[in-house]
mmCIF file of all heavy atoms in Angstrom:
data_model
loop_
_atom_site.group_PDB
_atom_site.id
_atom_site.type_symbol
_atom_site.label_atom_id
_atom_site.label_comp_id
_atom_site.label_asym_id
_atom_site.label_seq_id
_atom_site.Cartn_x
_atom_site.Cartn_y
_atom_site.Cartn_z
ATOM 1 N N ILE A 468 9.079 -16.807 22.713
ATOM 2 C CA ILE A 468 10.113 -16.458 23.671
ATOM 3 C C ILE A 468 10.011 -17.390 24.842
ATOM 4 O O ILE A 468 8.958 -17.518 25.452
ATOM 5 C CB ILE A 468 10.011 -15.010 24.154
ATOM 6 C CG1 ILE A 468 10.088 -14.029 22.978
ATOM 7 C CG2 ILE A 468 11.102 -14.672 25.164
ATOM 8 C CD1 ILE A 468 9.894 -12.560 23.364
ATOM 9 N N LYS A 469 11.126 -18.076 25.173
ATOM 10 C CA LYS A 469 11.220 -18.831 26.411
ATOM 11 C C LYS A 469 12.714 -19.048 26.698
ATOM 12 O O LYS A 469 13.534 -19.130 25.802
ATOM 13 C CB LYS A 469 10.480 -20.151 26.294
ATOM 14 C CG LYS A 469 10.855 -21.071 25.192
ATOM 15 C CD LYS A 469 9.961 -22.312 25.166
ATOM 16 C CE LYS A 469 10.280 -23.252 24.020
ATOM 17 N NZ LYS A 469 9.374 -24.395 23.953
ATOM 18 N N ASN A 470 12.987 -19.104 27.975
ATOM 19 C CA ASN A 470 14.389 -19.286 28.449
ATOM 20 C C ASN A 470 15.348 -18.229 27.879
ATOM 21 O O ASN A 470 16.444 -18.534 27.489
ATOM 22 C CB ASN A 470 14.908 -20.687 28.104
ATOM 23 C CG ASN A 470 14.023 -21.777 28.719
ATOM 24 O OD1 ASN A 470 13.530 -21.631 29.823
ATOM 25 N ND2 ASN A 470 13.830 -22.864 27.990
ATOM 26 N N ASN A 471 14.848 -17.003 27.766
ATOM 27 C CA ASN A 471 15.615 -15.860 27.292
ATOM 28 C C ASN A 471 16.086 -16.013 25.826
ATOM 29 O O ASN A 471 17.069 -15.436 25.412
ATOM 30 C CB ASN A 471 16.856 -15.601 28.192
ATOM 31 C CG ASN A 471 16.447 -15.197 29.572
ATOM 32 O OD1 ASN A 471 16.616 -15.978 30.537
ATOM 33 N ND2 ASN A 471 15.957 -14.009 29.757
ATOM 34 N N ILE A 472 15.382 -16.857 25.053
ATOM 35 C CA ILE A 472 15.666 -17.020 23.642
ATOM 36 C C ILE A 472 14.421 -16.616 22.845
ATOM 37 O O ILE A 472 13.312 -17.087 23.129
ATOM 38 C CB ILE A 472 16.005 -18.484 23.282
ATOM 39 C CG1 ILE A 472 17.321 -18.921 24.010
ATOM 40 C CG2 ILE A 472 16.182 -18.650 21.776
ATOM 41 C CD1 ILE A 472 18.546 -18.221 23.548
ATOM 42 N N CYS A 473 14.608 -15.716 21.889
ATOM 43 C CA CYS A 473 13.520 -15.306 20.991
ATOM 44 C C CYS A 473 13.680 -16.063 19.688
ATOM 45 O O CYS A 473 14.726 -16.033 19.031
ATOM 46 C CB CYS A 473 13.582 -13.797 20.736
ATOM 47 S SG CYS A 473 12.224 -13.203 19.706
ATOM 48 N N THR A 474 12.608 -16.788 19.262
ATOM 49 C CA THR A 474 12.620 -17.595 18.063
ATOM 50 C C THR A 474 11.565 -17.114 17.091
ATOM 51 O O THR A 474 10.416 -16.923 17.476
ATOM 52 C CB THR A 474 12.364 -19.080 18.378
ATOM 53 O OG1 THR A 474 13.293 -19.512 19.383
ATOM 54 C CG2 THR A 474 12.493 -19.936 17.133
ATOM 55 N N PHE A 475 11.984 -16.908 15.830
ATOM 56 C CA PHE A 475 11.025 -16.611 14.770
ATOM 57 C C PHE A 475 10.968 -17.824 13.845
ATOM 58 O O PHE A 475 12.001 -18.392 13.469
ATOM 59 C CB PHE A 475 11.501 -15.399 13.928
ATOM 60 C CG PHE A 475 11.101 -14.065 14.467
ATOM 61 C CD1 PHE A 475 11.281 -13.759 15.809
ATOM 62 C CD2 PHE A 475 10.549 -13.103 13.644
ATOM 63 C CE1 PHE A 475 10.921 -12.516 16.361
ATOM 64 C CE2 PHE A 475 10.185 -11.861 14.150
ATOM 65 C CZ PHE A 475 10.369 -11.552 15.493
ATOM 66 N N VAL A 476 9.730 -18.233 13.488
ATOM 67 C CA VAL A 476 9.551 -19.418 12.621
ATOM 68 C C VAL A 476 8.580 -19.069 11.534
ATOM 69 O O VAL A 476 7.489 -18.512 11.773
ATOM 70 C CB VAL A 476 9.012 -20.637 13.413
ATOM 71 C CG1 VAL A 476 8.953 -21.854 12.504
ATOM 72 C CG2 VAL A 476 9.852 -20.920 14.648
ATOM 73 N N ALA A 477 8.915 -19.401 10.291
ATOM 74 C CA ALA A 477 8.040 -19.198 9.164
ATOM 75 C C ALA A 477 8.083 -20.436 8.244
ATOM 76 O O ALA A 477 9.159 -21.026 8.067
ATOM 77 C CB ALA A 477 8.433 -17.965 8.333
ATOM 78 N N LEU A 478 6.934 -20.842 7.709
ATOM 79 C CA LEU A 478 6.875 -21.956 6.787
ATOM 80 C C LEU A 478 5.668 -21.808 5.839
ATOM 81 O O LEU A 478 4.714 -21.144 6.162
ATOM 82 C CB LEU A 478 6.841 -23.296 7.544
ATOM 83 C CG LEU A 478 5.728 -23.568 8.530
ATOM 84 C CD1 LEU A 478 4.513 -24.146 7.878
ATOM 85 C CD2 LEU A 478 6.224 -24.530 9.630
ATOM 86 N N ASP A 479 5.786 -22.511 4.715
ATOM 87 C CA ASP A 479 4.672 -22.452 3.743
ATOM 88 C C ASP A 479 4.305 -23.814 3.200
ATOM 89 O O ASP A 479 3.489 -23.907 2.276
ATOM 90 C CB ASP A 479 5.050 -21.508 2.601
ATOM 91 C CG ASP A 479 6.248 -22.029 1.783
ATOM 92 O OD1 ASP A 479 6.756 -23.125 2.066
ATOM 93 O OD2 ASP A 479 6.676 -21.350 0.827
ATOM 94 N N GLY A 480 4.769 -24.877 3.800
ATOM 95 C CA GLY A 480 4.450 -26.206 3.354
ATOM 96 C C GLY A 480 5.508 -26.817 2.488
ATOM 97 O O GLY A 480 5.525 -28.027 2.272
ATOM 98 N N TYR A 481 6.463 -25.987 1.996
ATOM 99 C CA TYR A 481 7.557 -26.443 1.132
ATOM 100 C C TYR A 481 8.919 -26.188 1.747
ATOM 101 O O TYR A 481 9.897 -26.870 1.419
ATOM 102 C CB TYR A 481 7.488 -25.809 -0.228
ATOM 103 C CG TYR A 481 6.202 -26.046 -0.973
ATOM 104 C CD1 TYR A 481 5.199 -25.100 -0.981
ATOM 105 C CD2 TYR A 481 5.955 -27.242 -1.649
ATOM 106 C CE1 TYR A 481 4.004 -25.313 -1.636
ATOM 107 C CE2 TYR A 481 4.762 -27.488 -2.341
ATOM 108 C CZ TYR A 481 3.787 -26.519 -2.320
ATOM 109 O OH TYR A 481 2.614 -26.719 -2.939
ATOM 110 N N ARG A 482 8.956 -25.178 2.616
ATOM 111 C CA ARG A 482 10.228 -24.835 3.284
ATOM 112 C C ARG A 482 9.921 -24.211 4.632
ATOM 113 O O ARG A 482 8.748 -23.753 4.902
ATOM 114 C CB ARG A 482 11.124 -23.978 2.455
ATOM 115 C CG ARG A 482 10.683 -22.768 1.731
ATOM 116 C CD ARG A 482 9.859 -21.837 1.781
ATOM 117 N NE ARG A 482 9.445 -20.770 0.997
ATOM 118 C CZ ARG A 482 10.185 -19.870 0.382
ATOM 119 N NH1 ARG A 482 11.480 -19.909 0.359
ATOM 120 N NH2 ARG A 482 9.592 -18.883 -0.241
ATOM 121 N N MET A 483 10.898 -24.156 5.506
ATOM 122 C CA MET A 483 10.726 -23.568 6.828
ATOM 123 C C MET A 483 12.035 -22.869 7.248
ATOM 124 O O MET A 483 13.113 -23.379 7.019
ATOM 125 C CB MET A 483 10.389 -24.689 7.846
ATOM 126 C CG MET A 483 10.264 -24.212 9.299
ATOM 127 S SD MET A 483 9.809 -25.512 10.444
ATOM 128 C CE MET A 483 11.381 -26.393 10.598
ATOM 129 N N ALA A 484 11.881 -21.709 7.851
ATOM 130 C CA ALA A 484 13.009 -20.919 8.326
ATOM 131 C C ALA A 484 12.847 -20.730 9.848
ATOM 132 O O ALA A 484 11.760 -20.300 10.300
ATOM 133 C CB ALA A 484 13.136 -19.571 7.596
ATOM 134 N N VAL A 485 13.915 -21.021 10.575
ATOM 135 C CA VAL A 485 13.896 -20.874 12.028
ATOM 136 C C VAL A 485 15.106 -20.072 12.467
ATOM 137 O O VAL A 485 16.254 -20.448 12.192
ATOM 138 C CB VAL A 485 13.939 -22.252 12.760
ATOM 139 C CG1 VAL A 485 13.917 -22.049 14.278
ATOM 140 C CG2 VAL A 485 12.803 -23.136 12.302
ATOM 141 N N LYS A 486 14.882 -18.922 13.080
ATOM 142 C CA LYS A 486 15.968 -18.029 13.497
ATOM 143 C C LYS A 486 15.854 -17.739 14.974
ATOM 144 O O LYS A 486 14.736 -17.404 15.469
ATOM 145 C CB LYS A 486 15.907 -16.713 12.698
ATOM 146 C CG LYS A 486 16.940 -15.655 13.099
ATOM 147 C CD LYS A 486 18.362 -16.067 12.768
ATOM 148 C CE LYS A 486 19.333 -14.905 13.038
ATOM 149 N NZ LYS A 486 20.748 -15.299 12.899
ATOM 150 N N LYS A 487 16.935 -17.845 15.713
ATOM 151 C CA LYS A 487 16.952 -17.602 17.170
ATOM 152 C C LYS A 487 17.965 -16.554 17.568
ATOM 153 O O LYS A 487 18.974 -16.381 16.912
ATOM 154 C CB LYS A 487 17.272 -18.912 17.914
ATOM 155 C CG LYS A 487 16.311 -20.057 17.638
ATOM 156 C CD LYS A 487 16.656 -21.277 18.459
ATOM 157 C CE LYS A 487 15.652 -22.398 18.197
ATOM 158 N NZ LYS A 487 15.864 -23.591 19.062
ATOM 159 N N ASP A 488 17.666 -15.868 18.681
ATOM 160 C CA ASP A 488 18.611 -14.929 19.230
ATOM 161 C C ASP A 488 18.283 -14.710 20.717
ATOM 162 O O ASP A 488 17.134 -14.911 21.154
ATOM 163 C CB ASP A 488 18.535 -13.548 18.520
ATOM 164 C CG ASP A 488 19.898 -12.829 18.527
ATOM 165 O OD1 ASP A 488 20.666 -13.080 19.463
ATOM 166 O OD2 ASP A 488 20.135 -12.045 17.632
ATOM 167 N N LYS A 489 19.311 -14.362 21.471
ATOM 168 C CA LYS A 489 19.133 -14.131 22.937
ATOM 169 C C LYS A 489 18.390 -12.827 23.145
ATOM 170 O O LYS A 489 18.504 -11.871 22.370
ATOM 171 C CB LYS A 489 20.492 -14.123 23.625
ATOM 172 C CG LYS A 489 21.214 -15.459 23.599
ATOM 173 C CD LYS A 489 22.627 -15.327 24.225
ATOM 174 C CE LYS A 489 23.330 -16.691 24.150
ATOM 175 N NZ LYS A 489 24.738 -16.597 24.698
ATOM 176 N N ILE A 490 17.598 -12.829 24.227
ATOM 177 C CA ILE A 490 16.850 -11.622 24.558
ATOM 178 C C ILE A 490 16.788 -11.463 26.072
ATOM 179 O O ILE A 490 16.764 -12.449 26.820
ATOM 180 C CB ILE A 490 15.402 -11.713 23.968
ATOM 181 C CG1 ILE A 490 14.646 -10.382 24.136
ATOM 182 C CG2 ILE A 490 14.615 -12.889 24.583
ATOM 183 C CD1 ILE A 490 13.322 -10.353 23.437
ATOM 184 N N ASP A 491 16.806 -10.234 26.521
ATOM 185 C CA ASP A 491 16.778 -9.938 27.969
ATOM 186 C C ASP A 491 15.332 -9.861 28.451
ATOM 187 O O ASP A 491 14.828 -8.762 28.715
ATOM 188 C CB ASP A 491 17.542 -8.640 28.267
ATOM 189 C CG ASP A 491 17.701 -8.384 29.752
ATOM 190 O OD1 ASP A 491 17.490 -9.350 30.527
ATOM 191 O OD2 ASP A 491 17.985 -7.212 30.107
ATOM 192 N N TYR A 492 14.636 -11.009 28.489
ATOM 193 C CA TYR A 492 13.249 -11.052 28.936
ATOM 194 C C TYR A 492 13.007 -12.418 29.508
ATOM 195 O O TYR A 492 13.213 -13.439 28.835
ATOM 196 C CB TYR A 492 12.307 -10.772 27.761
ATOM 197 C CG TYR A 492 10.840 -10.855 28.118
ATOM 198 C CD1 TYR A 492 10.266 -9.945 29.017
ATOM 199 C CD2 TYR A 492 10.009 -11.785 27.545
ATOM 200 C CE1 TYR A 492 8.910 -10.012 29.360
ATOM 201 C CE2 TYR A 492 8.659 -11.877 27.869
ATOM 202 C CZ TYR A 492 8.136 -10.962 28.761
ATOM 203 O OH TYR A 492 6.768 -11.028 29.085
ATOM 204 N N ASP A 493 12.503 -12.451 30.761
ATOM 205 C CA ASP A 493 12.351 -13.730 31.426
ATOM 206 C C ASP A 493 10.973 -14.405 31.204
ATOM 207 O O ASP A 493 10.798 -15.541 31.547
ATOM 208 C CB ASP A 493 12.511 -13.519 32.958
ATOM 209 C CG ASP A 493 13.930 -13.102 33.346
ATOM 210 O OD1 ASP A 493 14.863 -13.551 32.623
ATOM 211 O OD2 ASP A 493 14.140 -12.317 34.294
ATOM 212 N N GLY A 494 10.042 -13.653 30.604
ATOM 213 C CA GLY A 494 8.712 -14.195 30.415
ATOM 214 C C GLY A 494 8.621 -15.112 29.208
ATOM 215 O O GLY A 494 9.642 -15.427 28.581
ATOM 216 N N GLU A 495 7.418 -15.570 28.953
ATOM 217 C CA GLU A 495 7.190 -16.470 27.801
ATOM 218 C C GLU A 495 6.145 -15.837 26.857
ATOM 219 O O GLU A 495 5.162 -15.238 27.330
ATOM 220 C CB GLU A 495 6.714 -17.847 28.251
ATOM 221 C CG GLU A 495 7.760 -18.634 28.981
ATOM 222 C CD GLU A 495 7.413 -20.127 29.135
ATOM 223 O OE1 GLU A 495 6.308 -20.520 28.690
ATOM 224 O OE2 GLU A 495 8.228 -20.870 29.669
ATOM 225 N N VAL A 496 6.399 -15.964 25.570
ATOM 226 C CA VAL A 496 5.511 -15.387 24.534
ATOM 227 C C VAL A 496 5.353 -16.452 23.430
ATOM 228 O O VAL A 496 6.332 -17.112 23.071
ATOM 229 C CB VAL A 496 6.075 -14.090 23.964
ATOM 230 C CG1 VAL A 496 5.268 -13.647 22.734
ATOM 231 C CG2 VAL A 496 6.077 -13.002 25.007
ATOM 232 N N SER A 497 4.168 -16.574 22.893
ATOM 233 C CA SER A 497 3.975 -17.416 21.699
ATOM 234 C C SER A 497 2.779 -16.858 20.915
ATOM 235 O O SER A 497 1.631 -17.028 21.276
ATOM 236 C CB SER A 497 3.691 -18.890 22.120
ATOM 237 O OG SER A 497 3.530 -19.690 20.959
ATOM 238 N N VAL A 498 3.122 -16.109 19.829
ATOM 239 C CA VAL A 498 2.103 -15.440 19.032
ATOM 240 C C VAL A 498 2.470 -15.564 17.566
ATOM 241 O O VAL A 498 3.614 -15.811 17.206
ATOM 242 C CB VAL A 498 1.940 -13.955 19.392
ATOM 243 C CG1 VAL A 498 1.364 -13.806 20.811
ATOM 244 C CG2 VAL A 498 3.263 -13.194 19.243
ATOM 245 N N ILE A 499 1.461 -15.407 16.690
ATOM 246 C CA ILE A 499 1.689 -15.478 15.237
ATOM 247 C C ILE A 499 1.363 -14.118 14.643
ATOM 248 O O ILE A 499 0.254 -13.635 14.745
ATOM 249 C CB ILE A 499 0.820 -16.596 14.609
ATOM 250 C CG1 ILE A 499 1.104 -17.902 15.320
ATOM 251 C CG2 ILE A 499 1.105 -16.680 13.122
ATOM 252 C CD1 ILE A 499 0.020 -18.975 15.042
ATOM 253 N N VAL A 500 2.360 -13.540 14.029
ATOM 254 C CA VAL A 500 2.271 -12.150 13.503
ATOM 255 C C VAL A 500 2.228 -12.170 11.976
ATOM 256 O O VAL A 500 3.048 -12.830 11.368
ATOM 257 C CB VAL A 500 3.452 -11.303 13.994
ATOM 258 C CG1 VAL A 500 3.342 -9.875 13.464
ATOM 259 C CG2 VAL A 500 3.539 -11.328 15.486
ATOM 260 N N PRO A 501 1.255 -11.502 11.359
ATOM 261 C CA PRO A 501 1.201 -11.480 9.874
ATOM 262 C C PRO A 501 2.532 -10.983 9.279
ATOM 263 O O PRO A 501 3.145 -10.044 9.778
ATOM 264 C CB PRO A 501 0.062 -10.473 9.586
ATOM 265 C CG PRO A 501 -0.776 -10.483 10.808
ATOM 266 C CD PRO A 501 0.144 -10.692 11.958
ATOM 267 N N SER A 502 2.964 -11.653 8.201
ATOM 268 C CA SER A 502 4.224 -11.286 7.574
ATOM 269 C C SER A 502 4.161 -9.870 7.050
ATOM 270 O O SER A 502 5.197 -9.174 7.005
ATOM 271 C CB SER A 502 4.551 -12.270 6.438
ATOM 272 O OG SER A 502 3.592 -12.235 5.432
ATOM 273 N N LYS A 503 2.981 -9.391 6.629
ATOM 274 C CA LYS A 503 2.859 -8.009 6.136
ATOM 275 C C LYS A 503 3.334 -7.009 7.211
ATOM 276 O O LYS A 503 4.019 -6.038 6.888
ATOM 277 C CB LYS A 503 1.401 -7.747 5.766
ATOM 278 C CG LYS A 503 1.106 -6.273 5.416
ATOM 279 C CD LYS A 503 -0.395 -6.064 5.204
ATOM 280 C CE LYS A 503 -0.673 -4.568 4.938
ATOM 281 N NZ LYS A 503 -2.119 -4.296 4.851
ATOM 282 N N THR A 504 2.988 -7.298 8.460
ATOM 283 C CA THR A 504 3.427 -6.421 9.545
ATOM 284 C C THR A 504 4.902 -6.415 9.718
ATOM 285 O O THR A 504 5.550 -5.349 9.846
ATOM 286 C CB THR A 504 2.756 -6.904 10.877
ATOM 287 O OG1 THR A 504 1.347 -6.882 10.740
ATOM 288 C CG2 THR A 504 3.191 -6.011 12.038
ATOM 289 N N LEU A 505 5.516 -7.603 9.645
ATOM 290 C CA LEU A 505 6.981 -7.731 9.824
ATOM 291 C C LEU A 505 7.729 -7.051 8.691
ATOM 292 O O LEU A 505 8.795 -6.461 8.892
ATOM 293 C CB LEU A 505 7.347 -9.183 9.966
ATOM 294 C CG LEU A 505 6.731 -9.899 11.160
ATOM 295 C CD1 LEU A 505 7.111 -11.391 11.139
ATOM 296 C CD2 LEU A 505 7.139 -9.263 12.473
ATOM 297 N N VAL A 506 7.209 -7.115 7.478
ATOM 298 C CA VAL A 506 7.832 -6.480 6.329
ATOM 299 C C VAL A 506 7.839 -4.977 6.529
ATOM 300 O O VAL A 506 8.861 -4.293 6.261
ATOM 301 C CB VAL A 506 7.071 -6.811 5.021
ATOM 302 C CG1 VAL A 506 7.585 -5.943 3.864
ATOM 303 C CG2 VAL A 506 7.316 -8.287 4.648
ATOM 304 N N GLU A 507 6.784 -4.421 7.073
ATOM 305 C CA GLU A 507 6.702 -2.980 7.290
ATOM 306 C C GLU A 507 7.704 -2.546 8.382
ATOM 307 O O GLU A 507 8.360 -1.511 8.303
ATOM 308 C CB GLU A 507 5.315 -2.527 7.707
ATOM 309 C CG GLU A 507 4.321 -2.614 6.549
ATOM 310 C CD GLU A 507 4.851 -1.971 5.293
ATOM 311 O OE1 GLU A 507 5.274 -0.824 5.333
ATOM 312 O OE2 GLU A 507 4.896 -2.645 4.238
#
């Protein structure tokens, strides 16, 4: 998260997906979350 944009990025060495959306948050975040968690 930066500049009020939330970005999700996933890749496996053969392909990469990048998705962005606006968010009402002025701070900055950069963390890596296990895909198992996101699936749940």
Side-chain angles (χ1 to χ4, degrees):
I468 301 176
K469 57 184 178 182
N470 301 324
N471 297 108
I472 298 291
C473 183
T474 305
F475 275 47
V476 185
L478 57 87
D479 64 3
Y481 302 99
R482 47 30 186 310
M483 177 177 75
V485 181
K486 176 69 173 172
K487 300 183 178 186
D488 210 333
K489 294 177 182 177
I490 187 171
D491 186 18
Y492 178 65
D493 295 327
E495 292 194 359
V496 171
S497 182
V498 293
I499 305 164
V500 181
S502 61
K503 174 186 175 183
T504 302
L505 299 176
V506 169
E507 290 313 306

